[in-house]
Amino acid sequence: MAAGTERRIIPVADPAALAKAAAERVIARIAENSGRIAICLTGGSSPKALYQLLATPEYRSRIPWDRVEWFIGDERLVPRKDPLHNMSMARQAFLDRCAPAANLHPIATDTADLLDPDKSAALYENELMAFYGAEQLDPARPLFDLVLMGVGPDGHTASLFPGYPAVEETARWVVGVPKANVEPFVPRVSLTLPALASCREMLFEIAGQGKRAILTRLLAGENLPANRARSQHETIWLVDQAALPEDFRG
Protein backbone atom coordinates (compact mmCIF):
# COMPACT_ATOMS: atom_id res chain seq x y z
CA MET A 1 0.00 0.00 0.00
CA ALA A 2 1.40 3.36 -1.02
CA ALA A 3 -0.17 5.14 1.92
CA GLY A 4 -2.50 4.29 4.73
CA THR A 5 -5.39 6.73 4.45
CA GLU A 6 -8.94 5.57 3.91
CA ARG A 7 -10.62 6.80 0.76
CA ARG A 8 -13.84 8.77 0.74
CA ILE A 9 -16.34 7.95 -2.01
CA ILE A 10 -18.56 10.82 -3.17
CA PRO A 11 -21.39 9.82 -5.55
CA VAL A 12 -22.50 12.39 -8.12
CA ALA A 13 -25.34 12.35 -10.62
CA ASP A 14 -23.58 12.38 -13.98
CA PRO A 15 -20.36 13.39 -15.79
CA ALA A 16 -21.29 17.08 -15.74
CA ALA A 17 -21.82 17.00 -11.98
CA LEU A 18 -18.59 15.06 -11.59
CA ALA A 19 -16.60 17.70 -13.50
CA LYS A 20 -18.14 20.48 -11.41
CA ALA A 21 -17.45 18.65 -8.14
CA ALA A 22 -13.86 18.04 -9.23
CA ALA A 23 -13.42 21.70 -10.18
CA GLU A 24 -14.61 22.76 -6.74
CA ARG A 25 -12.11 20.36 -5.15
CA VAL A 26 -9.33 21.91 -7.24
CA ILE A 27 -10.34 25.42 -6.18
CA ALA A 28 -10.64 24.41 -2.51
CA ARG A 29 -7.21 22.79 -2.48
CA ILE A 30 -5.63 25.82 -4.16
CA ALA A 31 -7.26 28.14 -1.63
CA GLU A 32 -5.55 26.30 1.24
CA ASN A 33 -2.06 27.21 0.02
CA SER A 34 -0.94 30.83 -0.06
CA GLY A 35 2.44 29.93 -1.55
CA ARG A 36 3.56 27.92 -4.55
CA ILE A 37 1.00 25.29 -5.52
CA ALA A 38 1.73 21.99 -7.31
CA ILE A 39 -0.99 20.06 -9.14
CA CYS A 40 -0.39 16.73 -10.85
CA LEU A 41 -2.74 16.18 -13.77
CA THR A 42 -3.96 12.96 -15.32
CA GLY A 43 -4.64 11.97 -18.92
CA GLY A 44 -7.30 9.87 -20.59
CA SER A 45 -10.87 10.90 -21.31
CA SER A 46 -12.16 11.29 -17.73
CA PRO A 47 -10.61 14.68 -16.84
CA LYS A 48 -11.27 16.51 -20.12
CA ALA A 49 -14.57 18.02 -18.96
CA LEU A 50 -12.88 19.18 -15.75
CA TYR A 51 -10.06 20.83 -17.68
CA GLN A 52 -12.49 22.61 -19.98
CA LEU A 53 -14.45 23.82 -16.97
CA LEU A 54 -11.33 25.31 -15.38
CA ALA A 55 -10.92 27.51 -18.45
CA THR A 56 -14.40 29.05 -18.10
CA PRO A 57 -14.70 32.53 -16.54
CA GLU A 58 -16.39 31.07 -13.43
CA TYR A 59 -13.31 29.06 -12.49
CA ARG A 60 -10.51 30.78 -14.35
CA SER A 61 -10.95 33.91 -12.25
CA ARG A 62 -10.59 31.91 -9.02
CA ILE A 63 -7.18 30.41 -9.82
CA PRO A 64 -3.93 32.32 -9.08
CA TRP A 65 -2.31 31.08 -12.27
CA ASP A 66 1.08 32.60 -11.53
CA ARG A 67 1.40 30.51 -8.35
CA VAL A 68 0.27 27.12 -9.71
CA GLU A 69 2.76 24.63 -11.17
CA TRP A 70 1.25 21.91 -13.39
CA PHE A 71 2.76 18.43 -13.61
CA ILE A 72 1.52 15.17 -15.18
CA GLY A 73 1.20 11.76 -13.53
CA ASP A 74 2.02 9.73 -16.61
CA GLU A 75 2.68 10.17 -20.28
CA ARG A 76 2.58 8.17 -23.47
CA LEU A 77 5.81 8.36 -25.45
CA VAL A 78 4.29 9.86 -28.56
CA PRO A 79 5.01 13.23 -30.21
CA ARG A 80 3.59 16.25 -28.41
CA LYS A 81 1.12 16.92 -31.25
CA ASP A 82 -0.23 13.36 -31.16
CA PRO A 83 -3.85 13.19 -29.87
CA LEU A 84 -2.72 10.44 -27.46
CA HIS A 85 -0.34 12.79 -25.65
CA ASN A 86 -1.72 13.41 -22.13
CA MET A 87 -0.18 16.79 -21.37
CA SER A 88 -1.10 18.12 -24.80
CA MET A 89 -4.74 17.28 -24.14
CA ALA A 90 -4.60 19.31 -20.93
CA ARG A 91 -2.80 22.13 -22.71
CA GLN A 92 -5.42 22.32 -25.42
CA ALA A 93 -8.28 22.12 -22.93
CA PHE A 94 -7.09 24.87 -20.59
CA LEU A 95 -3.41 25.29 -19.84
CA ASP A 96 -2.28 27.10 -22.98
CA ARG A 97 -5.06 29.66 -22.53
CA CYS A 98 -4.64 30.19 -18.81
CA ALA A 99 -1.29 29.15 -17.35
CA PRO A 100 2.15 30.73 -17.83
CA ALA A 101 4.28 28.51 -20.04
CA ALA A 102 7.02 28.49 -17.40
CA ASN A 103 4.62 26.82 -14.96
CA LEU A 104 4.04 23.76 -17.18
CA HIS A 105 6.08 20.63 -16.51
CA PRO A 106 5.50 18.04 -19.26
CA ILE A 107 7.33 14.74 -19.54
CA ALA A 108 9.77 14.98 -22.46
CA THR A 109 8.74 12.84 -25.43
CA ASP A 110 9.76 14.76 -28.54
CA THR A 111 13.33 13.69 -29.31
CA ALA A 112 14.49 10.35 -30.65
CA ASP A 113 16.68 9.80 -27.60
CA LEU A 114 13.62 10.03 -25.37
CA LEU A 115 11.85 7.15 -27.05
CA ASP A 116 13.59 5.22 -24.29
CA PRO A 117 11.07 5.44 -21.42
CA ASP A 118 13.76 4.98 -18.77
CA LYS A 119 15.71 8.02 -19.99
CA SER A 120 12.59 10.13 -20.13
CA ALA A 121 11.62 8.93 -16.64
CA ALA A 122 15.04 9.86 -15.25
CA LEU A 123 14.78 13.37 -16.68
CA TYR A 124 11.35 13.90 -15.14
CA GLU A 125 12.44 12.53 -11.80
CA ASN A 126 15.30 15.04 -11.78
CA GLU A 127 12.84 17.84 -12.55
CA LEU A 128 10.54 16.78 -9.72
CA MET A 129 13.43 16.58 -7.27
CA ALA A 130 14.68 20.02 -8.32
CA PHE A 131 11.20 21.45 -7.80
CA TYR A 132 10.84 19.72 -4.43
CA GLY A 133 14.36 20.67 -3.32
CA ALA A 134 15.32 17.22 -2.06
CA GLU A 135 15.99 13.68 -3.27
CA GLN A 136 13.91 12.03 -0.54
CA LEU A 137 10.20 12.62 0.04
CA ASP A 138 9.24 13.85 3.49
CA PRO A 139 5.74 12.75 4.62
CA ALA A 140 5.40 16.07 6.45
CA ARG A 141 6.03 18.04 3.24
CA PRO A 142 4.01 16.66 0.31
CA LEU A 143 5.33 17.03 -3.21
CA PHE A 144 1.89 17.96 -4.59
CA ASP A 145 -1.11 19.83 -3.25
CA LEU A 146 -3.40 17.76 -5.47
CA VAL A 147 -3.01 14.65 -7.64
CA LEU A 148 -5.74 13.89 -10.17
CA MET A 149 -6.23 10.22 -11.02
CA GLY A 150 -8.35 7.93 -13.17
CA VAL A 151 -9.02 4.20 -13.35
CA GLY A 152 -8.45 1.99 -16.38
CA PRO A 153 -10.58 -1.03 -17.34
CA ASP A 154 -7.93 -3.37 -15.88
CA GLY A 155 -7.61 -1.44 -12.63
CA HIS A 156 -4.50 0.51 -13.61
CA THR A 157 -3.99 4.11 -12.60
CA ALA A 158 -1.45 6.52 -14.06
CA SER A 159 0.55 4.00 -16.14
CA LEU A 160 0.90 1.52 -13.29
CA PHE A 161 -0.53 -1.72 -14.63
CA PRO A 162 -1.52 -4.84 -12.65
CA GLY A 163 1.35 -7.25 -12.23
CA TYR A 164 3.98 -4.89 -13.67
CA PRO A 165 7.22 -4.27 -11.74
CA ALA A 166 6.56 -0.51 -11.74
CA VAL A 167 3.73 -1.05 -9.25
CA GLU A 168 6.19 -2.37 -6.66
CA GLU A 169 8.76 0.41 -7.07
CA THR A 170 9.48 2.14 -3.76
CA ALA A 171 12.74 4.05 -4.34
CA ARG A 172 12.26 5.88 -7.62
CA TRP A 173 9.78 8.69 -8.16
CA VAL A 174 9.32 8.07 -11.89
CA VAL A 175 9.68 4.89 -13.95
CA GLY A 176 9.62 3.87 -17.57
CA VAL A 177 6.95 1.40 -18.68
CA PRO A 178 8.12 -0.30 -21.91
CA LYS A 179 4.69 -1.60 -22.93
CA ALA A 180 1.18 -0.79 -21.80
CA ASN A 181 -1.32 -3.40 -20.66
CA VAL A 182 -4.18 -1.72 -22.55
CA GLU A 183 -4.51 0.39 -25.68
CA PRO A 184 -2.72 2.39 -26.85
CA PHE A 185 0.15 -0.09 -26.68
CA VAL A 186 2.94 2.46 -26.58
CA PRO A 187 5.76 2.94 -24.07
CA ARG A 188 4.86 5.11 -21.07
CA VAL A 189 6.45 7.07 -18.28
CA SER A 190 4.70 7.06 -14.91
CA LEU A 191 5.09 8.45 -11.45
CA THR A 192 5.35 5.68 -8.88
CA LEU A 193 2.94 5.00 -6.04
CA PRO A 194 5.16 6.70 -3.42
CA ALA A 195 5.50 9.84 -5.55
CA LEU A 196 1.77 9.98 -6.25
CA ALA A 197 1.03 9.41 -2.56
CA SER A 198 3.07 12.48 -1.63
CA CYS A 199 0.11 14.84 -1.89
CA ARG A 200 -2.38 16.63 0.30
CA GLU A 201 -5.23 15.21 -1.73
CA MET A 202 -5.59 12.46 -4.33
CA LEU A 203 -8.74 12.89 -6.38
CA PHE A 204 -10.09 10.12 -8.61
CA GLU A 205 -12.71 10.75 -11.29
CA ILE A 206 -14.67 7.63 -12.27
CA ALA A 207 -17.56 7.94 -14.70
CA GLY A 208 -19.65 5.89 -17.10
CA GLN A 209 -21.21 2.46 -17.20
CA GLY A 210 -18.02 1.13 -18.77
CA LYS A 211 -16.24 1.61 -15.45
CA ARG A 212 -18.83 -0.24 -13.37
CA ALA A 213 -17.23 -3.69 -13.75
CA ILE A 214 -13.77 -2.59 -12.66
CA LEU A 215 -15.21 -0.40 -9.90
CA THR A 216 -17.07 -3.44 -8.55
CA ARG A 217 -13.75 -5.29 -8.34
CA LEU A 218 -12.00 -2.34 -6.71
CA LEU A 219 -14.71 -1.84 -4.10
CA ALA A 220 -14.51 -5.55 -3.32
CA GLY A 221 -10.91 -4.94 -2.30
CA GLU A 222 -9.08 -6.59 -5.19
CA ASN A 223 -5.34 -5.91 -5.13
CA LEU A 224 -5.12 -3.62 -8.15
CA PRO A 225 -2.98 -0.49 -8.65
CA ALA A 226 -5.99 1.85 -8.37
CA ASN A 227 -6.71 0.41 -4.92
CA ARG A 228 -3.10 0.83 -3.84
CA ALA A 229 -2.89 4.47 -4.87
CA ARG A 230 -3.64 6.48 -1.73
CA SER A 231 -2.63 9.93 -0.58
CA GLN A 232 -0.72 10.17 2.66
CA HIS A 233 -3.41 12.65 3.66
CA GLU A 234 -6.79 12.61 1.86
CA THR A 235 -8.05 10.31 -0.90
CA ILE A 236 -11.37 11.03 -2.63
CA TRP A 237 -13.19 9.09 -5.33
CA LEU A 238 -15.81 11.03 -7.28
CA VAL A 239 -18.09 8.44 -8.91
CA ASP A 240 -21.08 9.09 -11.13
CA GLN A 241 -24.25 7.03 -10.92
CA ALA A 242 -23.59 5.14 -14.15
CA ALA A 243 -20.31 3.78 -12.80
CA LEU A 244 -21.50 3.06 -9.27
CA PRO A 245 -22.40 -0.61 -8.65
CA GLU A 246 -25.96 -1.28 -7.49
CA ASP A 247 -24.83 -2.36 -4.02
CA PHE A 248 -23.26 1.05 -3.38
CA ARG A 249 -26.15 3.22 -4.51
CA GLY A 250 -28.12 5.12 -1.93
Side-chain angles (χ1 to χ4, degrees):
M1 185 69 69
T5 60
E6 291 297 321
R7 62 174 170 239
R8 180 157 57 102
I9 298 173
I10 302 177
V12 295
D14 52 37
L18 188 148
K20 186 172 179 61
E24 291 296 335
R25 296 296 313 173
V26 172
I27 297 298
R29 188 54 65 182
I30 287 173
E32 292 182 3
N33 187 346
S34 60
R36 187 170 62 168
I37 300 154
I39 295 180
C40 185
L41 301 172
T42 185
S45 58
S46 297
K48 190 171 185 179
L50 163 64
Y51 296 163
Q52 292 170 336
L53 199 57
L54 293 177
T56 63
E58 178 184 357
Y59 289 98
R60 184 172 181 171
S61 63
R62 298 164 65 188
I63 297 174
W65 296 97
D66 60 324
R67 291 196 292 111
V68 184
E69 306 284 338
W70 305 91
F71 296 87
I72 192 80
D74 72 310
E75 190 55 88
R76 299 152 175 173
L77 290 194
V78 296
R80 186 169 61 86
K81 294 184 178 180
D82 192 302
L84 297 175
H85 195 274
N86 287 334
M87 192 65 157
S88 291
M89 182 274 285
R91 293 183 68 153
Q92 291 168 11
F94 79 110
L95 289 175
D96 283 347
R97 282 177 284 166
C98 304
N103 291 17
L104 307 186
H105 303 271
I107 293 171
T109 65
D110 271 346
T111 68
D113 188 45
L114 295 174
L115 294 178
D116 181 338
D118 290 331
K119 291 182 180 179
S120 187
L123 281 175
Y124 205 57
E125 182 171 88
N126 288 340
E127 182 168 357
L128 286 172
M129 288 179 176
F131 173 80
Y132 187 68
E135 295 184 358
Q136 297 291 327
L137 292 167
D138 179 355
R141 187 169 69 92
L143 172 60
F144 301 112
D145 292 270
L146 177 68
V147 170
L148 298 174
M149 301 283 270
V151 176
D154 60 347
H156 80 266
T157 194
S159 282
L160 302 174
F161 299 100
Y164 279 38
V167 181
E168 308 303 331
E169 179 61 47
T170 58
R172 289 179 292 175
W173 297 17
V174 189
V175 291
V177 181
K179 184 179 178 181
N181 194 42
V182 297
E183 292 185 352
F185 297 106
V186 296
R188 316 281 186 100
V189 172
S190 181
L191 271 64
T192 60
L193 288 177
L196 292 166
S198 183
C199 62
R200 300 191 185 281
E201 178 176 326
M202 183 178 288
L203 181 65
F204 281 82
E205 290 186 86
I206 307 171
Q209 188 172 354
K211 296 292 175 70
R212 190 182 297 178
I214 190 60
L215 189 55
T216 300
R217 293 170 58 190
L218 290 167
L219 292 175
E222 194 166 332
N223 184 25
L224 294 168
N227 258 347
R228 297 177 60 182
R230 304 284 179 99
S231 167
Q232 293 167 341
H233 297 272
E234 185 169 20
T235 304
I236 295 174
W237 287 20
L238 294 175
V239 183
D240 80 346
Q241 288 296 315
L244 200 63
E246 295 288 346
D247 292 348
F248 289 86
R249 297 188 184 190

